[in-house]
């Protein structure tokens, strides 16, 4: 496990790919929460 962390922080391609993947996942979670809140707060037309 120690070798993985050493390689992770020394290899910029591995570091950036996991970093970009983390950003994409956070954005997806944000938009899921955003749209659920918008749907929950929406007024029903009569």
């Amino acid at each position: 496990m120690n070798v993985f962390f050493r390689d992770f922080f020394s290899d910029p391609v591995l570091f950036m790919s996991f970093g970009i993947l983390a950003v994409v996942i956070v954005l997806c979670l944000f938009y899921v929460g955003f749209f659920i809140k918008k749907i929950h707060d929406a007024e029903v037309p009569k």
Side-chain angles (χ1 to χ4, degrees):
M1 196 63 159
N2 231 358
V3 175
F4 174 75
F5 287 117
R6 187 188 69 219
D7 290 343
F8 180 75
F9 289 113
S10 65
D11 186 12
V13 174
L14 190 63
F15 185 73
M16 288 298 291
S17 62
F18 276 106
I20 291 170
L21 182 64
V23 168
V24 169
I25 290 172
V26 167
L27 281 173
C28 289
L29 292 174
F30 169 76
Y31 279 113
V32 165
F34 177 76
F35 284 116
I36 287 175
K37 182 181 181 306
K38 285 286 191 182
I39 291 169
H40 184 266
D41 294 343
E43 294 181 8
V44 179
K46 295 181 180 181

